Amino acid sequence: MLYLVGLGLADETDITVKGLNIVKQAHRVYLEAYTSILMVDKDKLEAYYDRPIIVADREMVESNDDDILARADIEDVAFLVVGDPFGATTHSDLVLRARQLHIPTQIIHNASVMSAVGATGLQLYNFGQTISMVFFTDTWKPSSFYDRVKENRQIGLHTLMLLDIKVKEQSEENLARGRKIFEPPRFMTAGQCAAQMLEIEEDRGEGAYDPGSLAVAVARLGAPDQQMAAGTLKQISVTDLGAPLHSLVLLGKAHDMERFKWSRCDVRIHTIIQEVDDAAPNNLMSGDSEWAMRENFSKLYPDAMEHLPHLRFIEPLNPNTEKFAYPAEPYVFICDVVVRSEDYIDITKEMAKGITQAEWDAMAELRDAIAKDEGIGWYAVHNGDLELAKQEREAWDEEDGVEETNGVAHRIEEEQKMEGKFSRGLNDRIAQLHVNNAGLEQGDQGWSKIVAHPFRSAATHGLPRKLPEAMRDDWTHRTRCLQQSYPGLFSSSAASDPSGSEIAIYKRMVIYFLEWNTEYEWCHFLVMDFTDPGTPRGWEGVCRSLTVIKTRSASLLDLAVHISDAQLTLLFCSPNGDDYQLLVTVDGISYEYLGTGSTTLPKLSNLLPAKPLTVTYDSQYSNFTFAAGPVEITASFLSSVLPTDLCRTSVPLSYLTTSVRSTDAASHDIQFYSDVNAAWVASENNVTIQWELYEGSNMINASGDVVGDPSSIYSWFVCDCICWRNSLTYGRFFYLQQAYEFAEEMDVALWGNFTYSSSPMDAQNFSFNSGFSGNVRYQYYMQHSLQGIVDSDYRPFATREPVFAYSHDFGSVSSASVRYSIGSVQQPIVRYLASEGVVPLQPWWAQCYGDIHQMIDFHFNDFEQTQVLAARFETQLKADVDDYYCANMAMVFSNSTSSTSPPWVNTTQGYNGTDEYGNHYIFDSGNGYGFLDPQNFTGIAVPDVQEAEAYYSIVALSARQIMGAYTLAIPPSSGASSNLSGNATDPLMFQKEISSNGNTNTVDVMFPAMPFFLYANPDLLRYNMEPLYQNQEGGFYPNEYSMHDLGSHYPNATGHVEGNDEYMPVEESGNMILMSYAYYKFTSNTSYLLAHYPKLQQFASYLLDFTLTPGNQLSTDDFAGRLANQTNLAIKGIVGIAAMAEIARICSADDPSVAASYASTAAAYYTQWETYALDPAHTHTLLAYQWRSSYSLLYNIYPALLLDLPIIPDSLYALQSDFYPSVSQAFGVPLDSRHSYTKSDESMWAAATCDPETRRLFVNGLAYWLNVTSTDRAFSDLFETVGEGGYP
């Protein structure tokens, strides 16, 4: 049977239960991917559905549907459609075709944009014909949609515009040549649609709509981050709603229920006021609408908006009518302060309090731009209807006696006197606005005295002993809702008696939020809602209000940790404001040396911050020292770089060793404390976290457990319990449900476990604890030990923040040390497309050590041996750097070596000096030129810095980051999905493209790491390329050139069977040839080249056709955009062909003509390349052919130098070396003439091709950037060469 299954709108979980069951049992599953798209990758669908998915493009569905329908009469085929199956006519055609072939069909419906567009507030009954809007080109601008829109508008109907998507589209050139080369996907935005509509209206001029016609733009409908923006077509044409998919609704005649309709009158159009949520919360726009308006105003009035960061918006109301002034009334703008009081006040005493001149000027600027004749006014609030308040108070007085009668009567009398100063409103709701609209400006006289009663409460009128009967039931519901949402705010006994004790709740509610009001003004929303018995909203309505409050408080009370720059150099950190707390207690005083947990508690006299002293790093360690009273603390993080030790390299854990030593030669009472919180493992703060504590492989599940042997290893296991555990086990540890394996959110794995381990070691007393951070930490601050309790209340990390702690007590000592290990462990680790299908791969460490407990045990106890091996690598690295620079007599020293700062370091003005080589230079820290030669003003290297030491600082960090981006996995075993049976000799190596789009084994990201692998262990390069070769040689990739990556999102190495990966054919084909030849060059492994020779010939064939004039292709610098005939891209292909000549000498030794043909072609191409690529004056190469004013780093000639390929003449190396100093900036040479940013890896490749003086300019410039810029990121490959060296 053929099943057409609707997937819904947003992600993998939108499928219906019936649809999911069908997909899981289908023999084949197709995903239609050209009429619409889901907002998640195919990999995530496959993980959730547990089925491989075939992407069906337009050609397959409309021209080759026989492939889809094949055998559908005898087996189940599922055809997945985003939205509803009949949302596109092409799907109806597929059903008709199936019926002609006597194939039974079944349709599984789901939500689509046609129904979900009701979320805009527009009624589906009022929609007319749906229109598709296509991308315009210079020569094709179809306007047939215009007639349909006009017909809809003439009868008052709304028009839903479905916007074009371009997936797997070919350029006109590729279509003409019959080449299966596809353009990158494009998705029309609502802004583009609106602009195209206005363009056609201007051309047709028939008045179907105009720039002021109202429309609603919708983005990512049905997703958690969906956005909507209402405005005119002109406004929407400049509105950016972010990522796809977008839709647009052009309004017809709005029904009363669809319009904005408010119960207040006398809100003067154009009046400018501020903080209206204190007075009229129901007038406020939705957050999405406000965001869109604020974005638009920031673009239209940037100078004014800069001074009005808290600008808010309310809807306009025509004071002459109840109806919304459709369609062209402008918005009311809010930009002053609210004055609140419990009694009458003189507004003249308050009117300018807290307002700066800049804010007044900004308000006036907005007023002049929007409504020049209007004034800037004040407003006042009266909570509650006056008549209703009078009736209630009279009822209260009858029950309560006369103790408050005189006071109430007096206030009512005063209110009646003031009533003329207020407009009553249409429905007498909770707030009424009075606007002084006399056009008064700051300093004007004549401000009126205004009533401002915020609440009917004890503070205003006294409290009755019993609520009026009419309020009692509703108040009980409200109280119950509050108890559920804020259990700590109310006691259960208070809520149980609505006849009396709820008054205390009422009072507490008002007072509680009044206290919050000083810092969080949004809390007034809830207070005003609760103190309005005249307009009961009931339990459901109050719960909705509470939900808004809770959502907003999650951002206002963000637990994100603000840590020092030193801490940010650590290699293991995670993305959710994850916290850790590290303390050393000395003679009863606790010193906080890492973390900010102390800020969550009241100030304690026995808790102080440690004083940071030094920070050092090398290729293995990050070391931090602190002063803590009479001791010095050293926190040393070890993430070992051991490229030849595959087992240790595969372990995903790092060490933290904290030691103390006495600085006064005396002994002191020493305790250590550490904890981590649950944010390390989850991407969202509302997902339940589960944790366990193990001693070795034995779970500790009771309170007050006795600590075992001093050598025992204790490990906290923390997992994201969005998944439940199933019965599949490896060793003694359970793994997460299959449905969420291989899925990430915000770069956080949704499967696996976070582990944090320690051991008693030499401590006299060792204890542990999990629980609420405030309780656990306070317990330690007071007792200097923990209770040995494992909290069993599993919860999200934002709910009573759970932490997992250890404490070590050493007694009186002069020195002591503790060790922790920490890491995130996923098992299985990669999802891989192999000949036997899509299989999970186990981590390499499982073959080396066994289960997770055995791996942790080995790693923790291997610390000393790891230190030995790490020191060996570090020593060799320094020695090799020394050898390289020995000609310059420059030696490498530890970067902790103190030295006198160069004289230019602290200068704020220009400085003239002489470097260590006797060269004069000028330097001004106030400009972006860096250090210049005063004779010709070309750049020179940063002076007084040894290039060898600068280079060492670069490669030490680079080694750690390269190894940190890779995982090693056991290759798939024939017939065994778990692939734990038997031992493999070589691993597969997988890389995540970090800080970009998360691709797996991106070829042009592997390529810059090639020199490190060739230096440290060439086999790592082979392990990294092997999955790519297996995929392409296994027939899983249809294109003739090399694939861009092995999967769109790590850890899904499932390739691109449809061939729609990012289009970089010359870039990646050249990279694969060069990396393969480089591996042979450094290992002499001839069999490797022979095994892959046919595929290499295929890549080379593509280069022969397209390298010399690569056209409008992307290079590895895809962030810079496409550019036709890039000089540097073309030379990569030419060098690749030259490398292919050397490969052919080996693999086609019996036919020398093959190698000779490649060599002669490469030489001929180079000759032609020079005529296109060189500036006419022959001073440098250009960014693109014959673009005379351009330049770029020519880093792709470095592989020719590295591999001794005789294709690049010495004259070209010299030409570029002489040119680079003429365009250098403070932090290096820009990547190309289009931008001021550069790339660190490509800068170093270019440096390697230059003479020593220019090479020093590059190397010292990069080290200078490392030293003088502040960042919260790791060593970046992309940064600005000017200003503060920030990120583009």
Side-chain angles (χ1 to χ4, degrees):
M1 179 176 287
L2 174 67
Y3 294 94
L4 271 70
V5 180
L7 297 183
L9 294 168
D11 57 32
E12 72 278 14
T13 63
D14 283 351
I15 192 171
T16 64
V17 174
K18 181 187 292 185
L20 182 60
N21 291 334
I22 288 171
V23 171
K24 284 182 174 290
Q25 70 182 11
H27 286 77
R28 282 174 289 137
V29 181
Y30 293 88
L31 173 64
E32 188 270 279
Y34 68 94
T35 62
S36 188
I37 61 167
L38 277 184
M39 299 171 197
V40 295
D41 293 333
K42 182 189 75 167
D43 298 330
K44 203 164 188 178
L45 292 180
E46 290 179 327
Y48 188 73
Y49 301 155
D50 195 21
R51 300 290 293 154
I53 292 175
I54 303 167
V55 175
D57 58 16
R58 182 186 300 274
E59 182 179 2
M60 175 182 287
V61 177
E62 298 183 356
S63 302
N64 299 321
D65 58 359
D66 289 343
D67 294 340
I68 299 172
L69 299 176
R71 298 177 59 82
D73 55 337
I74 60 174
E75 61 185 30
D76 290 338
V77 176
F79 186 80
L80 310 184
V81 178
V82 178
D84 186 83
F86 287 141
T89 56
T90 186
H91 307 140
S92 302
D93 184 69
L94 182 64
V95 172
L96 293 175
R97 172 70 173 145
R99 290 176 179 172
Q100 290 172 0
L101 298 174
H102 305 291
I103 297 172
T105 61
Q106 183 177 343
I107 311 301
I108 313 300
H109 294 284
N110 208 323
S112 75
V113 65
M114 314 283 261
S115 57
V117 72
T120 60
L122 302 174
Q123 296 182 354
L124 297 181
Y125 297 106
N126 292 334
F127 278 79
Q129 302 168 83
T130 298
I131 305 302
S132 294
M133 176 66 78
V134 300
F135 279 110
F136 287 180
T137 68
D138 292 338
T139 58
W140 185 62
K141 299 180 181 181
S143 62
S144 57
F145 74 87
Y146 185 87
D147 298 314
R148 308 288 83 76
V149 173
K150 185 176 179 181
E151 291 169 4
N152 285 345
R153 297 266 291 178
Q154 284 174 342
I155 56 178
L157 298 181
H158 311 313
T159 304
L160 172 62
M161 315 287 290
L162 303 179
L163 310 188
D164 199 5
I165 70 174
K166 296 292 188 185
V167 179
K168 211 172 182 184
E169 297 288 330
Q170 293 175 270
S171 66
E172 293 181 2
E173 178 186 355
N174 287 330
L175 270 173
R177 296 189 180 188
R179 298 189 301 208
K180 295 288 186 179
I181 299 174
F182 304 104
E183 299 297 298
R186 290 187 297 150
F187 306 94
M188 182 178 287
T189 66
Q192 290 171 317
C193 176
Q196 290 188 177
M197 292 175 66
L198 293 175
E199 183 178 353
I200 294 301
E201 174 59 49
E202 185 176 355
D203 181 56
R204 297 272 296 258
E206 299 175 23
Y209 48 83
D210 57 49
S213 296
L214 286 184
V216 180
V218 181
R220 301 172 298 284
L221 187 60
D225 63 340
Q226 75 173 19
Q227 291 188 355
M228 301 180 190
T232 65
L233 281 177
K234 183 177 180 181
Q235 291 172 327
I236 288 176
S237 68
V238 295
T239 297
D240 180 8
L241 293 185
L245 293 170
H246 292 196
S247 302
L248 183 70
V249 179
L250 182 65
L251 269 63
K253 182 180 180 181
H255 186 276
D256 283 348
M257 292 297 293
E258 296 174 315
R259 298 172 183 160
F260 293 108
K261 198 169 95 173
W262 304 112
S263 58
R264 285 88 170 159
C265 63
D266 286 356
V267 177
R268 183 77 178 268
I269 303 301
H270 305 303
T271 301
I272 300 178
I273 56 182
Q274 181 173 341
E275 300 299 355
V276 78
D277 44 348
D278 280 330
N282 289 346
N283 280 50
L284 288 174
M285 290 183 186
S286 72
D288 289 341
S289 297
E290 280 210 294
W291 173 85
M293 289 292 294
R294 192 175 291 109
E295 289 292 301
N296 287 342
F297 270 76
S298 296
K299 293 176 182 177
L300 293 171
Y301 314 110
D303 295 336
M305 292 295 289
E306 181 180 355
H307 299 289
L308 301 170
H310 304 297
L311 191 70
R312 301 294 301 277
F313 298 89
I314 63 173
E315 294 292 346
L317 187 69
N318 189 328
N320 300 317
T321 176
E322 293 184 29
K323 295 185 178 294
F324 179 75
Y326 175 80
E329 292 289 2
Y331 288 88
V332 175
F333 310 104
I334 302 157
C335 27
D336 202 350
V337 294
V338 174
V339 176
R340 301 184 64 98
S341 172
E342 295 176 357
D343 248 313
Y344 309 126
I345 59 171
D346 185 349
I347 198 72
T348 60
K349 297 179 180 179
E350 305 289 340
M351 65 180 183
K353 191 176 291 184
I355 306 297
T356 67
Q357 186 62 46
E359 289 170 327
W360 279 104
D361 293 343
M363 287 186 272
E365 180 181 340
L366 270 185
R367 185 269 315 273
D368 292 343
I370 297 160
K372 191 170 181 60
D373 296 331
E374 299 297 341
I376 301 176
W378 290 73
Y379 77 97
V381 169
H382 194 288
N383 283 82
D385 179 89
L386 295 179
E387 293 300 319
L388 178 61
K390 179 179 179 181
Q391 294 168 10
E392 289 172 355
R393 289 168 189 154
E394 290 172 348
W396 293 349
D397 290 338
E398 289 176 5
E399 295 188 17
D400 294 344
V402 296
E403 60 182 301
E404 291 290 328
T405 300
N406 294 335
V408 173
H410 172 72
R411 287 180 173 85
I412 292 175
E413 180 181 359
E414 291 296 314
E415 287 168 351
Q416 289 172 337
K417 291 179 182 178
M418 297 294 293
E419 192 171 335
K421 296 190 176 183
F422 287 89
S423 298
R424 290 289 308 278
L426 300 174
N427 296 321
D428 294 326
R429 296 205 176 172
I430 62 171
Q432 299 178 353
L433 299 186
H434 173 84
V435 178
N436 182 336
N437 49 30
L440 298 177
E441 299 286 357
Q442 184 183 22
D444 287 348
Q445 302 300 311
W447 294 84
S448 60
K449 295 181 179 181
I450 298 175
V451 169
H453 282 312
F455 311 110
R456 288 189 298 274
S457 69
T460 312
H461 299 301
L463 285 173
R465 285 188 291 274
K466 187 180 293 186
L467 288 174
E469 189 70 31
M471 299 171 59
R472 194 166 297 154
D473 291 340
D474 183 61
W475 183 253
T476 303
H477 286 312
R478 295 172 186 229
T479 303
R480 187 181 303 124
C481 179
L482 274 174
Q483 278 192 295
Q484 291 181 350
S485 299
Y486 291 93
L489 188 60
F490 306 106
S491 65
S492 58
S493 61
S496 63
D497 182 10
S499 65
S501 59
E502 79 283 0
I503 301 301
I505 299 172
Y506 186 36
K507 179 179 178 180
R508 186 175 179 187
M509 185 71 197
V510 173
I511 294 172
Y512 189 74
F513 280 106
L514 278 175
E515 291 170 349
W516 276 16
N517 174 55
T518 59
E519 191 169 356
Y520 306 113
E521 293 183 348
W522 47 268
C523 290
H524 286 301
F525 180 95
L526 190 57
V527 173
M528 298 179 72
D529 182 46
F530 263 64
T531 57
D532 176 34
T535 56
R537 300 174 62 191
W539 191 0
E540 181 183 359
V542 175
C543 280
R544 281 199 299 269
S545 299
L546 284 168
T547 300
V548 173
I549 295 297
K550 289 166 66 179
T551 300
R552 297 181 66 177
S553 69
S555 59
L556 290 172
L557 303 177
D558 189 2
L559 297 177
V561 181
H562 302 287
I563 55 180
S564 69
D565 288 341
Q567 295 171 48
L568 287 166
T569 65
L570 306 184
L571 284 187
F572 45 93
C573 56
S574 54
N576 297 309
D578 39 357
D579 196 4
Y580 48 89
Q581 176 76 343
L582 297 169
L583 306 166
V584 169
T585 303
V586 184
D587 298 331
I589 305 297
S590 294
Y591 295 89
E592 184 178 56
Y593 62 97
L594 288 178
T596 58
S598 61
T599 60
T600 63
L601 293 173
K603 184 174 179 61
L604 302 173
S605 60
N606 63 340
L607 177 59
L608 300 173
K611 179 183 178 182
L613 297 176
T614 65
V615 179
T616 64
Y617 72 86
D618 57 26
S619 66
Q620 312 290 328
Y621 294 90
S622 292
N623 303 308
F624 307 86
T625 63
F626 307 85
V631 306
E632 182 179 277
I633 304 171
T634 300
S636 181
F637 294 84
L638 170 58
S639 298
S640 58
V641 175
L642 306 173
T644 60
D645 190 327
L646 300 183
C647 285
R648 287 183 172 87
T649 292
S650 69
V651 173
L653 304 176
S654 295
Y655 299 101
L656 165 60
T657 303
T658 300
S659 58
V660 298
R661 66 174 184 87
S662 172
T663 57
D664 62 359
S667 294
H668 298 277
D669 194 33
I670 301 293
Q671 293 85 36
F672 294 81
Y673 171 89
S674 75
D675 72 45
V676 295
N677 74 355
W680 288 80
V681 78
S683 61
E684 298 178 356
N685 64 8
N686 60 349
V687 174
T688 299
I689 307 298
Q690 186 168 323
W691 50 84
E692 297 164 352
L693 178 65
Y694 283 80
E695 180 184 358
S697 59
N698 299 314
M699 186 188 300
I700 298 174
N701 54 20
S703 299
D705 277 287
V706 177
V707 172
D709 188 273
S711 63
S712 294
I713 298 171
Y714 291 80
S715 300
W716 289 108
F717 288 96
V718 188
C719 71
D720 179 341
C721 290
I722 193 171
C723 324
W724 292 105
R725 298 184 171 198
N726 63 17
S727 59
L728 177 64
T729 65
Y730 293 97
R732 298 184 57 126
F733 195 72
F734 290 84
Y735 291 86
L736 299 180
Q737 187 177 342
Q738 182 74 15
Y740 285 93
E741 285 178 350
F742 314 117
E744 289 187 339
E745 188 168 9
M746 297 171 60
D747 287 325
V748 177
L750 296 182
W751 87 109
N753 301 273
F754 177 76
T755 70
Y756 188 44
S757 303
S758 191
S759 174
M761 301 175 68
D762 298 325
Q764 293 180 5
N765 183 40
F766 172 80
S767 55
F768 55 80
N769 224 119
S770 64
F772 173 49
S773 59
N775 294 344
V776 174
R777 291 167 180 170
Y778 189 76
Q779 159 72 23
Y780 176 80
Y781 298 151
M782 296 296 102
Q783 303 297 327
H784 305 146
S785 64
L786 299 172
Q787 296 175 310
I789 295 174
V790 179
D791 184 359
S792 60
D793 179 18
Y794 302 138
R795 57 190 181 271
F797 70 75
T799 301
R800 297 180 66 251
E801 178 194 24
V803 297
F804 314 98
Y806 298 113
S807 171
H808 295 75
D809 186 349
F810 284 85
S812 182
V813 293
S814 59
S815 64
S817 178
V818 295
R819 183 190 315 150
Y820 312 96
S821 72
I822 189 170
S824 180
V825 182
Q826 280 72 47
Q827 189 178 7
I829 196 169
V830 169
R831 189 167 179 260
Y832 186 59
L833 177 60
S835 58
E836 55 263 49
V838 177
V839 296
L841 301 184
Q842 296 299 322
W844 188 254
W845 58 257
Q847 178 173 282
C848 300
Y849 308 118
D851 67 28
I852 189 172
H853 299 290
Q854 292 169 311
M855 181 267 287
I856 292 172
D857 180 81
F858 174 85
H859 176 264
F860 195 90
N861 291 316
D862 188 55
F863 178 68
E864 287 78 11
Q865 181 61 25
T866 295
Q867 284 187 305
V868 171
L869 297 174
R872 190 177 299 163
F873 179 91
E874 170 69 7
T875 300
Q876 187 63 53
L877 179 65
K878 287 183 175 179
D880 291 337
V881 173
D882 283 343
D883 289 344
Y884 179 78
Y885 283 100
C886 64
N888 297 326
M889 300 302 292
M891 300 296 292
V892 176
F893 299 97
S894 168
N895 66 340
S896 62
T897 303
S898 60
S899 59
T900 304
S901 298
W904 45 264
V905 167
N906 297 315
T907 60
T908 56
Q909 299 178 346
Y911 181 82
N912 298 328
T914 304
D915 69 11
E916 63 271 39
Y917 300 104
N919 299 315
H920 296 290
Y921 65 85
I922 55 176
F923 172 70
D924 185 347
S925 62
N927 64 43
Y929 300 133
F931 297 85
L932 300 177
D933 183 332
Q935 299 299 318
N936 55 19
F937 296 100
T938 59
I940 68 167
V942 177
D944 307 309
V945 175
Q946 291 293 329
E947 183 188 355
E949 192 162 354
Y951 183 65
Y952 167 78
S953 69
I954 294 167
V955 296
L957 281 181
S958 300
R960 294 168 66 170
Q961 291 189 205
I962 289 172
M963 296 304 293
Y966 289 84
T967 57
L968 298 173
I970 304 171
S973 299
S974 178
S977 62
S978 67
N979 74 304
L980 278 178
S981 58
N983 286 336
T985 56
D986 292 331
L988 297 178
M989 193 160 88
F990 298 93
Q991 168 217 65
K992 179 176 179 179
E993 186 175 342
I994 299 174
S995 74
S996 183
N997 56 8
N999 288 169
T1000 303
N1001 282 29
T1002 308
V1003 177
D1004 59 286
V1005 178
M1006 292 161 50
F1007 191 59
M1010 175 180 67
F1012 174 79
F1013 292 144
L1014 297 176
Y1015 165 76
N1017 181 3
D1019 282 331
L1020 293 176
L1021 184 60
R1022 173 167 61 89
Y1023 303 149
N1024 201 192
M1025 289 191 290
E1026 184 60 23
L1028 290 158
Y1029 273 125
Q1030 288 186 11
N1031 184 280
Q1032 294 173 99
E1033 291 169 346
F1036 296 119
Y1037 187 68
N1039 295 323
E1040 58 187 307
Y1041 46 79
S1042 169
M1043 65 197 316
H1044 170 266
D1045 60 78
L1046 196 58
S1048 58
H1049 200 91
Y1050 181 89
N1052 291 281
T1054 50
H1056 299 276
V1057 294
E1058 65 277 19
N1060 64 346
D1061 50 330
E1062 189 171 6
Y1063 183 60
M1064 291 186 188
V1066 168
E1067 175 74 43
E1068 310 303 22
S1069 298
N1071 289 340
M1072 286 298 292
I1073 291 172
L1074 288 167
M1075 287 192 292
S1076 298
Y1077 180 61
Y1079 172 72
Y1080 163 78
K1081 187 79 172 177
F1082 279 71
T1083 64
S1084 301
N1085 188 341
T1086 303
S1087 61
Y1088 180 79
L1089 290 183
L1090 290 170
H1092 302 300
Y1093 188 48
K1095 186 56 64 176
L1096 291 168
Q1097 286 180 302
Q1098 178 182 320
F1099 297 158
S1101 178
Y1102 182 88
L1103 294 181
L1104 292 173
D1105 289 341
F1106 295 99
T1107 282
L1108 186 58
T1109 54
N1112 197 30
Q1113 292 191 14
L1114 287 170
S1115 71
T1116 183
D1117 305 319
D1118 53 355
F1119 49 85
R1122 289 172 177 256
L1123 182 64
N1125 298 326
Q1126 297 179 61
T1127 298
N1128 192 49
L1129 179 60
I1131 199 64
K1132 169 170 284 184
I1134 294 171
V1135 174
I1137 295 171
M1140 194 64 203
E1142 300 304 314
I1143 293 172
R1145 295 186 205 284
I1146 300 160
C1147 298
S1148 293
D1150 55 344
D1151 186 1
S1153 65
V1154 177
S1157 176
Y1158 284 126
S1160 63
T1161 301
Y1165 280 4
Y1166 178 79
T1167 300
Q1168 295 178 70
W1169 176 87
E1170 272 201 346
T1171 64
Y1172 303 141
L1174 289 181
D1175 169 76
H1178 281 220
T1179 59
H1180 64 282
T1181 57
L1182 307 173
L1183 169 61
Y1185 287 172
Q1186 299 182 353
W1187 185 1
R1188 185 173 185 178
S1189 62
S1190 67
Y1191 69 85
S1192 71
L1193 294 179
L1194 197 68
Y1195 55 83
N1196 276 329
I1197 60 176
Y1198 167 65
L1201 193 65
L1202 175 69
L1203 303 176
D1204 298 321
L1205 298 173
I1207 187 64
I1208 306 298
D1210 291 343
S1211 59
L1212 184 65
Y1213 294 123
L1215 184 78
Q1216 291 299 109
S1217 181
D1218 292 342
F1219 171 74
Y1220 291 137
S1222 69
V1223 291
S1224 65
Q1225 301 286 166
F1227 300 119
V1229 179
L1231 178 62
D1232 62 50
S1233 50
R1234 293 173 294 179
H1235 309 282
S1236 57
Y1237 56 64
T1238 196
K1239 291 198 78 243
S1240 56
D1241 51 352
E1242 292 161 4
S1243 292
M1244 291 299 96
W1245 281 36
T1249 67
C1250 297
D1251 61 36
E1253 187 175 28
T1254 304
R1255 183 196 67 210
R1256 225 162 55 88
L1257 171 70
F1258 278 102
V1259 173
N1260 285 14
L1262 182 54
Y1264 178 52
W1265 177 81
L1266 279 172
N1267 276 291
V1268 304
T1269 58
S1270 298
T1271 179
D1272 60 354
R1273 307 182 190 181
F1275 184 9
S1276 174
D1277 68 338
L1278 184 65
F1279 59 89
E1280 290 285 352
T1281 60
V1282 295
E1284 297 182 355
Y1287 303 101

